[in-house]
Amino acid sequence: MPDPRFPSAFTWGAATSAYQIEGAVAEDGRGASVWDTFCATPGNVKDGATGAVAVDHYHRYPEDLDLMAGLGLGGYRFSIAWPRIQPAGSGRPEQRGLDFYRRLVDGLRERGIAPMATLFHWDLPQALQDAGGWENRDTAERFAEYAEIMFDALDIRDWLTINEPKTVVDCGYRWGIHAPGVQDESRAFVVLHHLLLAHGLASRVLHEHHPGRRIGPALNLHPTYAAEDPDDPEVAKVVRHRDGLENRVYLDPIFKGAYPADTLEWIAERSPMPSHIRDGDLKVIGEPVDVLGVQYYTSHFLDRRGERVLKYPTAQLEWLEIFPRGLYDLLVRLKDEYPAVPLLVTENGVPAPDEVGEDGRVDDQGRIAFLRDHLDAVGDALAEGVPVEGYYVWSFLDNFEWAEGYEPRFGIVHVDYATQRRTLKNSALWYRDLIATGRLG
Ligand code: GBH
């Protein structure tokens, strides 16, 4: 019997992003992105790795599509490389770039896999960065134009605007560990506002030109908890503050049309961001959301000083403290505190240093347990009436893990980087069985 908590229309999917898998960075007219630039500076990425070749998906996509079909995936979430479409960040689209994504979408359709496209997964055209990037309000306008090109070019129902604005703000602009490598809070929060503006502007374009399709943001959200005594008012204050910076500062403007007052006040002490909010911006940002992409990896437990305390085991990457219950709490919270919109878990997954064994298999039991436990949390949320429509494993393939290079492997499909040979890990076989039987096992 299939697990009764999951509706029969539930989408079992997997996700990737352009820069992490495509390679072919100088092909078919693609322009440079901020990540090409960032990778070129020694010290930014482990072992000097880059996405120049990645897993060569740009050339190997037919084989990858066949592997997806073999698993029985119902949905595939990919991202479009803006620099393939507008190499200089604006103007007439590059036909060869459009053609690649058309072939990909056609290939998915032929195999009965529903495509979902992310418009921006961090690979900003370098030309726009040179003009100020997301600190420049104009980039949000350019994004809406690029979005319109894609909406017209691709026959896709579900769209995501910005992948994880928080990661761009924090990693790209506060901590400098992602492109463009800036460490400046005053600039970071201006970027935050313009990313949300870009999200709203693009959503408007879709609603005006393509009623019937759906669009929303892909937010990485982190439940925050007191590590010790939750009744300690000092801790409660710290937890609430962190919740503002991690979650509410993205959710509230998008769903409630207003920045959370406490977080905005904190930001105002560090950044001229509030002076960049123009009349009407929050109306744009508050454009109705048709579907929310929820990306969950970990939760944050905090002590009285706001320091993160690790209470549970971590994965290969230390930031990923494994806490499936956080996903349940998050989904229930979204239902309780925000307007009811269909939810998709657009990323969830775990890294490991997987290798192919002598028997030709990759026995990634840790990943199987991780995925099962998190899907169990999704099932519990569904049983509580949370409208989760689908789940996309991060990631379909091992790939370029940003500043960490190629060492952490997030795929359910193993890639031998020397030969580009693909091998289904045991987690992929487990996922195939789950999709076929509807049972978590
Ligand atoms: C997602 O980011 C991304 O969408 C995806 O591209 C990526 O491959 C995947 O997750 C796995 O990482 O400064 O300690 O937080 C998840 C958010 C942001 C978590 C960057 C790790 C760097 C270490 N990630 N962060 S830390």
Side-chain angles (χ1 to χ4, degrees):
M1 243 237 317
D3 189 319
R5 295 172 300 174
F6 291 86
S8 57
F10 194 80
T11 302
W12 301 103
T16 62
S17 91
Y19 191 71
Q20 295 180 271
I21 64 166
E22 286 180 1
V25 291
E27 255 172 87
D28 289 345
R30 179 187 179 279
S33 82
V34 293
W35 269 94
D36 298 288
T37 309
F38 189 71
C39 292
T41 302
N44 280 347
V45 176
K46 258 196 202 135
D47 305 323
T50 79
V53 177
V55 296
D56 197 32
H57 173 75
Y58 193 75
H59 300 113
R60 292 169 197 263
Y61 73 92
E63 177 189 351
D64 293 337
L65 291 170
D66 285 343
L67 290 172
M68 290 177 209
L71 297 184
L73 291 189
Y76 174 58
R77 170 184 177 234
F78 62 95
S79 84
I80 297 157
W82 186 351
R84 288 199 191 282
I85 307 303
Q86 293 179 304
S90 63
R92 229 173 47 79
E94 164 59 63
Q95 192 59 43
R96 291 168 294 176
L98 293 177
D99 287 345
F100 171 69
Y101 295 106
R102 286 207 178 108
R103 290 195 300 274
L104 182 68
V105 170
D106 287 348
L108 288 163
R109 277 269 149 58
E110 285 161 17
R111 291 165 180 82
I113 303 167
M116 176 164 53
T118 308
L119 288 162
F120 179 73
H121 200 123
W122 309 347
D123 43 359
L124 187 76
Q126 181 60 41
L128 292 182
Q129 188 63 40
D130 296 341
W134 291 110
E135 287 171 76
N136 183 350
R137 186 181 171 95
D138 188 57
T139 298
E141 305 281 351
R142 299 284 79 74
F143 178 74
E145 285 173 11
Y146 151 65
E148 184 169 358
I149 292 170
M150 296 319 305
F151 297 152
D152 292 340
L154 301 181
D155 175 19
I156 294 181
R157 183 180 70 140
D158 285 350
W159 296 80
L160 296 165
T161 53
I162 306 285
N163 182 73
E164 301 190 348
K166 176 190 141 64
T167 304
V168 179
V169 171
D170 284 354
C171 297
Y173 282 88
R174 287 174 75 200
W175 308 329
I177 60 175
H178 279 190
V182 174
Q183 263 184 67
D184 184 341
E185 288 201 321
S186 79
R187 296 163 65 185
F189 293 106
V190 175
V191 165
L192 186 160
H193 182 63
H194 292 153
L195 285 166
L196 296 187
L197 192 64
H199 154 78
L201 289 169
S203 302
R204 265 199 179 169
V205 171
L206 187 90
H207 289 148
E208 275 166 22
H209 296 282
H210 300 277
R213 293 188 184 177
R214 308 195 300 179
I215 194 161
L219 302 179
N220 54 325
L221 300 167
H222 296 95
T224 51
Y225 303 92
E228 300 303 338
D229 178 9
D231 297 328
D232 175 345
E234 198 62 33
V235 167
K237 217 174 105 198
V238 157
V239 168
R240 176 85 183 152
H241 166 69
R242 182 68 76 86
D243 176 51
L245 274 175
E246 309 249 338
N247 307 309
R248 290 181 286 119
V249 78
Y250 303 96
L251 288 166
D252 287 17
I254 289 173
F255 285 103
K256 301 179 173 170
Y259 283 105
D262 59 326
T263 313
L264 194 60
E265 196 180 305
W266 187 89
I267 289 172
E269 285 163 13
R270 315 173 148 70
S271 165
M273 180 275 221
S275 70
H276 290 257
I277 305 174
R278 296 194 191 161
D279 283 352
D281 281 4
L282 280 152
K283 187 134 199 319
V284 172
I285 295 170
E287 177 75 9
V289 168
D290 311 305
V291 61
L292 172 64
V294 176
Q295 317 210 144
Y296 177 80
Y297 290 91
T298 197
S299 296
H300 291 162
F301 294 86
L302 306 173
D303 69 14
R304 304 179 100 228
R305 290 165 305 148
E307 298 292 327
R308 192 167 172 198
V309 177
L310 293 177
K311 288 191 68 164
Y312 296 91
T314 59
Q316 182 189 17
L317 294 168
E318 266 252 308
W319 60 264
L320 207 165
E321 180 177 3
I322 301 172
F323 187 61
R325 163 84 200 232
L327 178 55
Y328 168 83
D329 288 348
L330 170 60
L331 293 170
V332 170
R333 177 198 190 177
L334 290 171
K335 166 171 129 12
D336 289 347
E337 294 181 24
Y338 291 91
V341 298
L343 307 180
L344 293 170
V345 177
T346 42
E347 285 186 28
N348 174 239
V350 70
D354 306 314
E355 280 309 335
V356 182
E358 292 198 341
D359 56 359
R361 297 175 59 109
V362 183
D363 195 21
D364 54 341
Q365 290 301 324
R367 178 171 294 103
I368 293 173
F370 181 98
L371 298 178
R372 195 213 306 108
D373 292 349
H374 285 78
L375 278 165
D376 197 39
V378 172
D380 286 346
L382 280 163
E384 294 287 321
V386 183
V388 188
E389 289 189 353
Y391 174 94
Y392 295 74
V393 178
W394 185 272
S395 178
F396 179 62
L397 296 161
D398 287 341
N399 62 52
F400 175 70
E401 177 53 20
W402 306 112
E404 300 291 338
Y406 290 95
E407 224 171 67
R409 294 172 173 273
F410 272 89
I412 56 171
V413 176
H414 181 274
V415 180
D416 175 352
Y417 295 121
T419 61
Q420 298 293 357
R421 189 191 148 98
R422 274 78 164 139
T423 304
L424 299 181
K425 301 183 190 178
N426 284 351
S427 58
L429 303 175
W430 172 83
Y431 202 45
R432 183 188 66 191
D433 291 347
L434 160 60
I435 295 168
T437 63
R439 279 196 305 270
L440 296 186

